[in-house]
Amino acid sequence: QVQLLESGGGLVQPGGSLRLSCAASGSIFDISEMGWYRQAPGMRRELVADVTGNDKTWYLDSVKGRFTVSRDIIKNTVTLQMNDLNPEDTAIYYCYGLITSDNGKRDYWGQGTQVTVSS
């Protein structure tokens, strides 16, 4: 059973920083991609950033230059460093991984962590 466990959300003032972490555990053979989605109230879930097995990264335009995604292939973790946060970044952030395990290759999701940017 593969599980993704997130940590690091919270309340921060505009201009502040937060660091989200996610660790994948279980019978994992390979992780092709790991990254982060977010969903704000009344909005669709959107991809924020991800990193592939060869360390190629992708970012949502609105977070470029402010957010940094990174992976630790040995530890099966992904982190999202978020700087210069603004109220529009408020959302539930979900870690995901495209993981090959005993159950084949599929997406796995974390439970979500709340990020609130407010003064």
Side-chain angles (χ1 to χ4, degrees):
Q1 181 79 11
V2 174
Q3 292 185 321
L4 271 62
L5 183 62
E6 302 144 338
S7 62
L11 172 65
V12 65
Q13 293 186 341
S17 298
L18 282 175
R19 184 179 179 89
L20 305 182
S21 297
C22 174
S25 62
S27 182
I28 297 171
F29 299 155
D30 181 67
I31 301 180
S32 303
E33 295 178 25
M34 290 191 83
W36 296 88
Y37 278 75
R38 68 185 181 187
Q39 187 167 20
M43 303 293 286
R44 299 176 68 176
R45 189 174 295 192
E46 62 181 358
L47 178 62
V48 177
D50 72 359
V51 55
T52 62
N54 59 359
D55 275 345
K56 183 177 181 180
T57 57
W58 181 93
Y59 294 94
L60 184 66
D61 280 347
S62 62
V63 309
K64 286 180 180 177
R66 300 187 298 122
F67 290 12
T68 302
V69 64
S70 60
R71 270 184 67 179
D72 186 321
I73 295 175
I74 303 300
K75 296 181 179 179
N76 288 336
T77 60
V78 63
T79 60
L80 185 67
Q81 178 66 42
M82 305 185 292
N83 299 326
D84 193 22
L85 286 159
N86 59 61
E88 290 70 38
D89 296 315
T90 295
I92 298 174
Y93 284 70
Y94 297 91
C95 170
Y96 88 97
L98 180 56
I99 297 173
T100 302
S101 69
D102 290 346
N103 294 323
K105 187 175 184 178
R106 50 159 284 194
D107 287 338
Y108 289 87
W109 295 85
Q111 78 284 359
T113 185
Q114 178 70 47
V115 171
T116 302
V117 185
S118 175
S119 56

